[in-house]
Amino acid sequence: MEIYAQTPEPPNKICRILTVALAFFLSYGAYLFAAAAWWFYNWYYALSALLLAFILIGILRSKLLHAFIPRVQQEFTYSDKDIAAWYLHSTLCFEAE
């Protein structure tokens, strides 16, 4: 039986900033894309960008969850901050081990 691991904590300040930035993008990226489309074009393009961004960021969130969270723990629900922490722990911020 495999033991469940806790969500990793970022080891330094740069990793904490990257974790918060990635979690912010996963949470509010669709709204930012829609606001930018509204600013540069009009509300019709903003609504289209919002729908497309929700789909694309949802796919990105799912890919990050399934690629970087251990397989036995994928049955749990993770927030965007947890997904960002697992991703950065697996790729950039692993020097604390």
Side-chain angles (χ1 to χ4, degrees):
M1 183 169 168
E2 192 169 338
I3 298 174
Y4 298 121
Q6 287 185 336
T7 301
E9 291 293 323
N12 54 27
K13 190 173 185 177
I14 294 172
C15 290
R16 275 184 240 125
I17 291 170
L18 288 174
T19 302
V20 169
L22 182 59
F24 182 81
F25 175 75
L26 290 174
S27 297
Y28 301 109
Y31 302 116
L32 293 175
F33 285 132
W38 191 11
W39 180 263
F40 289 113
Y41 299 107
N42 59 22
W43 65 271
Y44 180 74
Y45 288 117
L47 289 177
S48 301
L50 180 68
L51 293 174
L52 183 63
F54 269 128
I55 292 169
L56 293 178
I57 290 175
I59 291 171
L60 176 66
R61 184 182 296 120
S62 175
K63 293 290 184 182
L64 289 176
L65 185 136
H66 291 295
F68 294 103
I69 294 178
R71 191 171 219 50
V72 71
Q73 293 182 219
Q74 289 179 3
E75 64 189 45
F76 300 119
T77 303
Y78 289 99
S79 67
D80 292 331
K81 185 179 177 192
D82 294 337
I83 293 171
W86 276 107
Y87 168 70
L88 290 171
H89 176 74
S90 299
T91 57
L92 296 175
C93 303
F94 49 83
E95 66 267 358
E97 294 181 300

